[in-house]
Amino acid sequence: ENFKQEFSVFALRATGAVETLYDIDRDSTFDDRAVRYPEMVAPLRLAAGERVTIVVRFRSEGASYLAFAVETLESFASFATQQIAKGDIFYGMMILLSTVALMSLALFRNRVFAAYAAYSSAALLYIVHGDGVAFQVLWPNWPGFNSMASVVTGSAVIIFGAVYARVFLETKRLHPVLDRVLFAIIVITLMLDAVLWFTNPQLLKKLLVVFSMLAIVTFAISGIIAAMTRFREVRFYVVAWLGLVVSAAIMNARHVLVVEFSQDMQYDSIRAALVFDAV
């Protein structure tokens, strides 16, 4: 749960004893977790027929609701295996496609491949962070950065998405008004980060979730406008970004409107759109 850096779980036993199952804050490293797994997992031992009350306390910089499940060791192991396999397949596919884009850049010297590689790498890193894997693998001892990594990766998706749109659609040459709008998106994103990073990070995260939706809708509309005069050249771009509009709408519904979409559904929709876009 990348918006919830302060998180505690307690078990209230029938005897009145309170057992701390999980207790982390924004200074806790990945190895401080009770179970070393990308998502938050609290171990709970129950005797046959025993009843306990579970108390969860957390502070959120995003949506304030929380979905959780109680699993047996066996069911959790099965779930974890499936999640890791799904993630590894997606990560491998995106790394392969980004590598192909970089190879194409070296071969054809066309900057569109550099723009795509930057955008797809930013999107991949956003998913890796959202999955919790980035904290586990890339920066396990930097909890302070992990608290703000959604800002870094989300801003990168917006900025490089705008760069990709400008390069792929050739907006500077063919659509100067659109080009200025796309450039403004880059500038606004950087200004939001500069002004709110230290003063109000919670507001910054909320604004970026909404602004990402506006940016992605703009990228899609840009493609539609381009398609009016050169449909064959941009048709796949348009379809791919319309798919990402759906993903952005799900994310905004979850974090802003507090509609109960699962986190898996949110990230799976982005994964599907990114893979379709790459293909």
Side-chain angles (χ1 to χ4, degrees), residues 185-202:
I185 287 174
I186 297 172
V187 172
I188 292 171
T189 303
L190 292 173
M191 288 180 61
L192 284 172
D193 291 344
V195 172
L196 296 175
W197 180 282
F198 295 105
T199 58
N200 197 333
Q202 183 172 4

